[in-house]
Amino acid sequence: MNSPPPSRGFEQVPVIDVRALVDSSSTLAERQAVAEQMGAACRQSGFFYVVGHGVDEALQRRLETASRRFFALPVEEKLAIRMARGGAAWRGYFPVGGELTSGRPDRKEGLYFGTELGPEHPLVRAGTPLHGPNLFPQEPSSLREAVLDYLAALTRLGHSLMGGIALSLGLEEDHFSAGSMADPLVLFRIFNYPPGPDTAEDGQPAWGVGEHTDYGVLTLLEQDEAGGLQVKSRADGEVRWIDAPPIPGSFVCNIGDMLDRMTRGVYRSTPHRVLNRSGRDRLSLPFFFDPGWNAEIRPLEAPALRDTTTAEDAHQRWDQRSVHTFQGTYGDYLLGKVGKVFPELRSEVLSNG
Ligand SMILES: O=C(O)CCC(=O)C(=O)O
Ligand SMILES: [Fe+2]
């Protein structure tokens, strides 16, 4: 029986060229080689950069430009699409201080989007939380098309990367994309972190985002040149925060709590945080790629995990005791999480849900 080693900590976030996963003419051996690198990163830090991902740079610039134009508007104009207008679909704008991580307001403002679904979609008709149409601003009007194009491009990339993760676990490449993630739940955010003093009024660091882990399976983050993302490395009980600086042409990828749990803690969901010390606005665009709302989730029976016991420290990382028997829909799991972040939305989501 092989026990996974306890985290040895890490010095930096590795860079992985995923060209073979997105290129349909690559050989299985080439895709396996990428998958192996991904698997190693998932076991060690749960974080890696991807390059060679094939997402159109012009699209990324178009989206960034439109986003910056939106955030530069007066706050009253931005509030025309405030999140309360999005109801239980959980879309729209929130102002600086409107989101809490670890119980403290973050120094960031942002826009929430997801897969664009019309009123006739069965999940929308059923009043399913987090599903519905997006709220797009009137100005700049270009944001709408840029967001929708980006959602399509990143959804494709998400499926390719999940193919790599499946291979790394000894599963069929389409294990996720033909299974629990065939109809993925896609949440997309655009954040602006305004500049300001490093310390808040109460003497605590003025986190852009406080320390947290992500809820789902896979996060793909585009960040601008400002930097400030840090990832927690723990070795022999000693904590170090490792910078994940911007690398042009890359996305930062990380594993969320659900994949951690599905792999019995072998693939790690690692805490991270943001402190914008650049002296100017920082733009970041996290894309969350998760199982479908009604997908039944249970621990994976993967060849690569067969002889591996639950990670030693997994129980410290999970917030439920029944990790081995965990079973339920992804939607139920997620609903249990989201209310903590937006207290004012909890009542709305739950009353409609
Ligand atoms: O903005 C960033 O760099 C990270 C954001 C993040 O961690 C999140 O939204 O979960
Ligand atoms: Fe995060």
Side-chain angles (χ1 to χ4, degrees), residues 101 105-108 193 206-210 274-276:
T101 305
D106 295 333
R107 194 167 75 201
K108 68 176 186 325
Y193 300 80
W207 301 116
V209 185
V274 173
L275 187 58
N276 177 16

Side-chain angles (χ1 to χ4, degrees), residues 266-304:
V266 176
Y267 281 18
R268 297 173 167 276
S269 170
T270 301
H272 49 285
R273 64 187 190 188
V274 173
L275 187 58
N276 177 16
R277 312 176 89 145
S278 66
R280 60 175 183 72
D281 288 305
R282 171 182 191 263
L283 193 68
S284 87
L285 303 89
F287 174 91
F288 301 92
F289 194 63
D290 293 336
W293 188 262
N294 290 320
E296 287 282 340
I297 305 298
R298 58 177 67 85
L300 285 167
E301 286 172 27

Side-chain angles (χ1 to χ4, degrees), residues 145-156:
E145 198 187 337
V147 166
L148 294 177
D149 290 351
Y150 190 81
L151 288 174
L154 278 263
T155 298
R156 267 196 307 279

Side-chain angles (χ1 to χ4, degrees), residues 70-334:
F70 173 79
F71 288 120
L73 295 171
V75 71
E76 312 78 65
E77 272 181 58
K78 293 186 274 194
L79 285 168
I81 55 161
R82 63 177 167 273
M83 290 192 75
R85 295 256 163 92
W90 226 39
R91 310 291 165 94
Y93 172 74
F94 71 89
V96 175
E99 187 171 78
L100 312 182
T101 305
S102 313
R104 287 173 55 84
D106 295 333
R107 194 167 75 201
K108 68 176 186 325
E109 58 184 330
L111 285 163
Y112 270 54
F113 300 101
T115 306
E116 175 75 14
L117 298 176
E120 294 308 315
H121 189 281
L123 287 171
V124 181
R125 285 177 83 139
T128 316
L130 276 64
H131 292 71
N134 285 297
L135 285 181
F136 292 106
Q138 282 196 326
E139 287 300 326
S141 57
S142 55
L143 190 66
R144 179 192 169 90
E145 198 187 337
V147 166
L148 294 177
D149 290 351
Y150 190 81
L151 288 174
L154 278 263
T155 298
R156 267 196 307 279
L157 177 59
H159 281 300
S160 299
L161 295 177
M162 287 314 298
I165 287 182
L167 289 175
S168 77
L169 290 163
L171 298 165
E172 294 292 325
E173 193 168 355
D174 68 354
H175 179 88
F176 296 102
S177 60
S180 60
M181 298 175 81
D183 187 15
L185 179 65
V186 167
L187 301 174
F188 173 51
R189 293 162 195 177
I190 307 180
F191 292 141
N192 182 53
Y193 300 80
D198 288 354
T199 313
E201 279 166 16
D202 61 2
Q204 299 290 318
W207 301 116
V209 185
E211 175 179 346
H212 69 283
T213 53
D214 293 350
Y215 302 148
V217 166
L218 186 71
T219 306
L220 280 163
L221 176 85
E222 177 180 335
Q223 57 172 336
D224 75 0
E225 312 78 42
L229 174 62
Q230 299 179 329
V231 185
K232 194 178 199 172
S233 164
R234 190 197 289 272
D236 303 324
E238 194 198 330
V239 167
R240 286 175 54 211
W241 285 94
I242 307 299
D243 286 326
I247 296 182
S250 75
F251 292 100
V252 179
C253 259
N254 67 282
I255 297 307
D257 298 343
M258 182 45 84
L259 189 57
D260 186 321
R261 193 181 282 215
M262 287 162 81
T263 60
R264 290 184 274 114
V266 176
Y267 281 18
R268 297 173 167 276
S269 170
T270 301
H272 49 285
R273 64 187 190 188
V274 173
L275 187 58
N276 177 16
R277 312 176 89 145
S278 66
R280 60 175 183 72
D281 288 305
R282 171 182 191 263
L283 193 68
S284 87
L285 303 89
F287 174 91
F288 301 92
F289 194 63
D290 293 336
W293 188 262
N294 290 320
E296 287 282 340
I297 305 298
R298 58 177 67 85
L300 285 167
E301 286 172 27
L305 302 174
R306 204 161 281 153
D307 296 328
T308 309
T309 54
T310 300
E312 279 173 32
D313 56 352
H315 294 279
Q316 296 158 17
R317 287 183 281 130
W318 291 328
D319 59 0
Q320 285 187 19
R321 278 177 295 146
S322 56
V323 289
H324 294 289
T325 54
F326 174 77
Q327 196 167 340
T329 63
Y330 186 70
D332 282 342
Y333 159 84
L334 195 60

